[in-house]
Amino acid sequence: MICSNSITKQRKSLNDLKYSLHRCTQSSNPKEIVQIAEIQTQIKDKQNVFFDMEAYLPKKNGLYLNLVLGNVNVTLLSNQAKFAYKDEYEKFKLYMTIILLLGAITCRFLLNYRVTDEIFNFLLVWYYCTLTIRESILICNGSRIKGWWVSHHYVSTFLSGVMLTWPDGLMYQMFRNQFLAFSVYQSFVQFLQYYYQSGCLYRLRALGERNHLDLTVEGFQSWMWRGLTFLLPFLFFGHFWQLYNAVTLFGLSSHEKCKEWQVSMLALTFLVLFLGNFLTTLKVVHQKFQKNKDKTKKKE
């Protein structure tokens, strides 16, 4: 605990120094700006060293891991073990994405049975539950995945659980094909993201610009700006499809024959997913444009 507090204080001091240097660049001459840039690079290297040190310190499990696994130490003590666990996580996501893609296609075009839909929805619940557990373990071992890209897996778990409990009937059949078509598209986009993000991460790790425990995500982050911007139209189309699902379900909830609570609950959940995904992606894009704009002004 003492070591962790000490590292936290050092990182805070470096952040304060970094902020002060950033303010100094606004009133500095070209020679001083070059010197400040060198100091900022050294600060970044020090921050990475502190991050690596912190990753090896024992950490308490979060509330979620304590509820699921109990008070078990999930800290992996060697780099080899951490990388192996991260690789297993990435392979699990890839294999399950392919299985879910094939499952959604089968349910949509080949097997129109309630039992196959239940199996597919149960598979979704199990997949997202497993992801949240594995991600929590990776975070305890130094992975930097955070924010909405963690939270949206919990929301997806809830949505899949509600879909699983939705009884067969008129409302379910009216939304079934739309949901399965969305699942096909979502799995396809996730496969694209994994394929291109893994290659981009490998290149950035080789250049020393990313941590070895950084993960692929079902969204867009700042490090993807170089080489992966072509994914943005696919992502935004998927986000608006979530909004379309929410609008459709809100319409079904006002239907005179709608008696299931799942309809309005799913509508709210899809709306939350749309807002979280869309606003987070938009924030990353806006920050990047703002950063590029500031760089252009400095050059002028």
Side-chain angles (χ1 to χ4, degrees):
M1 181 63 74
I2 295 174
C3 292
S4 180
N5 290 337
S6 178
I7 290 173
T8 302
K9 289 179 181 178
Q10 292 291 336
R11 289 174 69 177
K12 187 177 182 302
S13 299
L14 287 174
N15 286 331
D16 292 340
L17 178 59
K18 194 174 180 180
Y19 177 72
S20 299
L21 288 171
H22 178 72
R23 293 181 62 184
C24 289
T25 55
Q26 298 174 359
S27 59
S28 302
N29 58 50
K31 185 178 179 180
E32 290 173 337
I33 290 175
V34 172
Q35 293 174 340
I36 290 172
E38 291 176 354
I39 296 171
Q40 287 176 331
T41 302
Q42 293 174 4
I43 290 173
K44 186 178 179 181
D45 292 338
K46 291 291 184 184
Q47 287 176 325
N48 290 333
V49 169
F50 285 136
F51 179 81
D52 291 337
M53 289 172 61
E54 202 170 27
Y56 286 98
L57 295 175
K59 297 179 181 177
K60 290 184 178 180
N61 295 347
L63 176 63
Y64 181 65
L65 277 182
N66 278 331
L67 289 173
V68 176
L69 303 177
N71 192 20
V72 178
N73 183 15
V74 295
T75 304
L76 302 173
L77 299 178
S78 68
N79 270 337
Q80 187 177 3
K82 291 181 179 183
F83 300 155
Y85 192 80
K86 188 208 69 115
D87 288 339
E88 283 297 318
Y89 166 85
E90 297 286 12
K91 288 177 183 176
F92 170 77
K93 279 179 65 176
L94 174 62
Y95 297 154
M96 284 303 302
T97 298
I98 295 172
I99 291 170
L100 290 170
L101 175 61
L102 295 175
I105 291 172
T106 301
C107 291
R108 174 65 180 84
F109 298 105
L110 300 176
L111 301 174
N112 188 2
Y113 301 108
R114 177 61 178 174
V115 65
T116 52
D117 290 359
E118 289 289 296
I119 292 171
F120 176 72
N121 288 323
F122 177 79
L123 199 59
L124 282 174
V125 174
W126 176 78
Y127 169 62
Y128 284 118
C129 279
T130 307
L131 275 188
T132 56
I133 296 170
R134 292 191 179 210
E135 284 171 354
S136 297
I137 293 173
L138 284 166
I139 290 169
C140 282
N141 285 278
S143 176
R144 295 180 181 180
I145 183 172
K146 58 184 178 180
W148 172 250
W149 306 124
V150 176
S151 302
H152 97 287
H153 281 157
Y154 292 94
V155 179
S156 298
T157 304
F158 176 77
L159 184 144
S160 303
V162 176
M163 281 295 302
L164 183 63
T165 63
W166 192 357
D168 196 6
L170 178 62
M171 297 300 104
Y172 178 82
Q173 290 299 327
M174 289 176 70
F175 183 67
R176 176 185 182 274
N177 287 344
Q178 181 176 323
F179 173 72
L180 290 172
F182 168 75
S183 298
V184 171
Y185 180 80
Q186 181 175 249
S187 296
F188 168 71
V189 173
Q190 287 176 358
F191 177 80
L192 278 182
Q193 286 179 293
Y194 173 84
Y195 181 80
Y196 288 104
Q197 284 181 28
S198 56
C200 187
L201 275 174
Y202 181 82
R203 184 175 68 253
L204 291 173
R205 289 188 198 112
L207 295 171
E209 296 182 17
R210 300 302 302 176
N211 185 271
H212 286 283
L213 287 175
D214 283 351
L215 307 169
T216 60
V217 296
E218 288 87 19
F220 196 84
Q221 294 182 316
S222 58
W223 59 266
M224 302 176 197
W225 196 258
R226 287 185 292 177
L228 296 183
T229 49
F230 73 94
L231 290 174
L232 282 172
F234 292 98
L235 292 174
F236 279 121
F237 183 80
H239 299 341
F240 281 103
W241 198 336
Q242 289 172 334
L243 178 61
Y244 175 59
N245 288 342
V247 171
T248 301
L249 287 162
F250 277 124
L252 291 177
S253 67
S254 60
H255 195 282
E256 59 181 5
K257 293 185 178 181
C258 179
K259 297 178 181 179
E260 302 96 329
W261 61 269
Q262 287 90 346
V263 179
S264 55
M265 186 59 67
L266 284 169
L268 287 171
T269 309
F270 269 116
L271 183 61
V272 169
L273 281 174
F274 162 73
L275 290 173
N277 289 330
F278 178 72
L279 293 177
T280 304
T281 305
L282 204 63
K283 181 182 177 183
V284 172
V285 174
H286 176 263
Q287 287 176 342
K288 193 64 182 180
F289 274 117
Q290 194 66 39
K291 192 175 180 181
N292 290 340
K293 189 177 179 181
D294 292 342
K295 284 182 179 179
T296 304
K297 284 183 178 179
K298 287 180 182 178
K299 287 179 181 179
E300 292 174 354

